[in-house]
Amino acid sequence: MATRTILKKGDPSLKKVSREVKDFNERLHRLLDDMRETLDKASGVGLAAPQVGVLRRAFIVIDYSGEEPKLMEFINPEIVETEGEQIGPEGCLSLPNIWGIVTRPERVKIKAQDRYGAYFEAEGCGLTARAFCHELDHLQGVLFDEIADRFLTEEELESLRESEKND
Ligand code: CO
């Protein structure tokens, strides 16, 4: 495994629509393993392939809703069901130090393929549902700052950091 460079806003790759994954081979597995290591190092919640310059429909999310954090991999993902609404802060490894208020569904069900090509469905609520939507947006070339209702002020950012420390 190796870490890859996370592209920052302004890089044209982040604006492109990613293509379907057709080969579930060693190359894909290496990409996913590298993305995992890159996400670990960056302490993020999710990472999409275009963020490391690979324009393929794949992303990973760490689900923190259970007792242990669980890494989930999604290839060729599609939202099949959504429910409710959440309005809350959202950030992105490609837009460091910017946080925005983004409206997302409260619960999201996704159909996708795993790294071997097998289809599965997975559901996420709260932060995990938010991450699913955020990463799917990356595959369409959309960054959260384009859909944010507004951005957090320095003060709000400070209190968000404080509340995270206390979690
Ligand atoms: Co992002």
Side-chain angles (χ1 to χ4, degrees):
M1 285 204 284
T3 58
R4 302 201 186 189
T5 304
I6 299 176
L7 303 180
K8 300 293 188 296
K9 187 180 165 73
D11 191 294
S13 288
L14 293 173
K15 300 292 297 165
K16 293 191 175 137
V17 177
S18 290
R19 296 182 303 273
E20 191 188 342
V21 172
K22 288 188 173 140
D23 298 318
F24 295 83
N25 54 15
E26 195 47 49
R27 192 183 165 90
L28 173 69
H29 297 176
R30 194 161 48 229
L31 168 68
L32 292 166
D33 291 342
D34 287 356
M35 284 169 63
R36 175 189 203 142
E37 193 169 318
T38 306
L39 182 61
D40 272 352
K41 196 178 154 206
S43 318
V45 175
L47 188 67
Q51 288 183 278
V52 294
V54 178
L55 294 173
R56 290 288 172 181
R57 302 190 77 79
F59 69 73
I60 61 173
V61 162
I62 301 172
D63 180 4
Y64 285 100
S65 64
E67 276 180 25
E68 293 284 323
K70 189 175 116 205
L71 183 93
M72 306 171 86
E73 297 178 346
F74 297 88
I75 320 297
N76 301 326
E78 273 174 62
I79 291 182
V80 290
E81 219 178 280
T82 65
E83 196 184 279
E85 189 181 87
Q86 54 173 320
I87 299 167
E90 194 165 312
C92 179
L93 294 172
S94 294
L95 285 87
N97 306 318
I98 302 172
W99 286 75
I101 300 295
V102 183
T103 305
R104 301 286 193 187
E106 175 57 29
R107 193 180 65 82
V108 174
K109 191 195 268 184
I110 284 187
K111 183 186 174 193
Q113 284 167 282
D114 68 15
R115 59 164 64 201
Y116 305 102
Y119 285 92
F120 69 96
E121 283 190 348
E123 229 180 82
C125 290
L127 178 63
T128 306
R130 176 176 293 285
F132 287 172
C133 297
H134 178 107
E135 302 311 329
L136 263 158
D137 279 353
H138 273 301
L139 304 185
Q140 294 306 113
V142 173
L143 299 176
F144 85 86
D145 64 333
E146 296 161 47
I147 54 163
D149 301 327
R150 63 178 184 85
F151 296 99
L152 294 192
T153 63
E154 246 340 288
E155 262 180 358
E156 287 174 312
L157 215 50
E158 203 48 54
S159 67
L160 186 70
R161 286 195 195 105
E162 281 302 315
S163 72
E164 272 176 357
K165 261 186 250 164
N166 297 332
D167 274 349

